[in-house]
Amino acid sequence: MFEDFPATLGSPTQGKGYRGIVLAAQANYYWVQLDDLEAQGGPWDRRQLLCTRRTRLKKIGQQVMVGDQVWVEEPDWAGGRGAIAQVAPRQTVLDRPPVANADHILLVFALADPALDPYQLSRFLVKAESTGLRVSLCLNKRDLVTPATEHHWIERLQQWGYQPLCISVRARTPWPTLKAQLRHHITIISGPSGVGKSSLINCLIPEADLRTSQVSGKLGHGRHTTRHVELFTLPTGGLLADTPGFNHPDIECSPATLALCFPEIRRRLQAATCQFNDCLHRDEPGCAVRGDWERYGHYQRLLTEALAHQETISQQTQSESTLKGKTTAAGQVHHEPKLNVKKYRRPSRRRRNQALQDLYHDLLADAELSEEIAWEDDS
């Protein structure tokens, strides 16, 4: 995208400009890594600038996200500052985490400490599949389990439709395979807290120097160490987006989309079709999906959640169309029915004046007519 950046966005504004990518965003400031600075005529020792967003972008509502390809103008090389003047069209956009132009999701789980929970893993996989990006699965802490346990999980996840890569951050194996998966991609690393995401990034990119923490002994899961999204440059090419760890991702996709987030369901629908086009794969007759496969129970639980979410959205939409919010003096918001606009809308001043003028002319005409009738009677 960098090669045709000015052609994509049109001519830059007055002044020398430089291409770059947003690595981090906090408040109204953005760390931008400039691309091929020497070829663009900039100083070789200043690759990153702390930038603000042009007022023109604010006026048109153009937001700047981590991962955006941007055009930076008026760089202050001594102060390490600049201004983002234009943003290239995005290839992909994610809201949670807020990252633009990502094309790969690497889910990181631990084989032990904390123990691998199949249902929790299913939630993360479904959430990742719903983005439409390529999904890879990495299982860390292989040094804490036996080879038999590792082999069991590999075979089990292959039945799910995934080829997991088992690694040990502590032993740093097997790095070549993992680095090949990350090369030349903008990869989002996601997974529960405490599985070793920050430690993995520290091993791949030593200069990242991310904070890490131990797994909580009481709760059995990790503590949050990453607070915001940030991109890190891989020495072998590509970018990694570290995201805040969480343990219960929200499932906000539609029931139809949910089914396609399971590789097992996709395989079954390729081999056969359901009797009904709107089949939810529960108790409908002629269903090609319902059957004895491991994650069918996970699908049913997530389907109930997806249907409840869909119902909530429908009720909110209906409520917004029939109710209006009103803020009281105490700052509380309560809703009341909307009035019929056509029935209760106050007429404009111009319309009221016109109505009074029409009434005046009617009365005047009636008075003239009465005088004419009276004169004829007298005659």
Side-chain angles (χ1 to χ4, degrees), residues 60-102:
I60 64 176
Q62 174 65 65
Q63 299 296 323
V64 179
M65 300 176 61
V66 172
D68 269 334
Q69 312 278 7
V70 296
W71 187 262
V72 178
E73 292 182 341
E74 298 182 4
D76 175 13
W77 301 116
R81 296 179 178 273
I84 296 175
Q86 300 180 69
V87 179
R90 296 164 180 153
Q91 302 299 314
T92 60
V93 179
L94 298 182
D95 294 330
R96 298 180 183 177
V99 179
N101 300 316

Side-chain angles (χ1 to χ4, degrees), residues 106-109 124 140 169 189-204 210-212 223-226 240 242-246:
L106 178 66
L107 282 182
V108 180
F109 270 70
F124 272 89
N140 187 26
V169 172
I189 294 185
S190 183
S193 305
V195 297
K197 299 189 301 297
S198 297
S199 298
L200 175 60
I201 294 178
N202 284 337
C203 289
L204 293 171
L210 300 182
R211 292 191 306 114
T212 60
R223 302 180 179 93
H224 303 288
T225 56
T226 302
L240 290 182
D242 188 23
T243 62
F246 50 94

Side-chain angles (χ1 to χ4, degrees), residues 127-143:
K127 184 68 174 181
E129 293 276 3
S130 67
T131 65
L133 306 183
R134 185 170 67 90
V135 179
S136 299
L137 181 58
C138 179
L139 302 180
N140 187 26
K141 304 184 182 182
R142 62 181 298 191
D143 55 305

Side-chain angles (χ1 to χ4, degrees), residues 302-319:
L302 294 176
L303 177 62
T304 301
E305 188 172 333
L307 290 171
H309 177 70
Q310 188 178 56
E311 179 65 22
T312 300
I313 293 178
S314 177
Q315 291 178 356
Q316 289 177 349
T317 303
Q318 183 178 4
S319 174

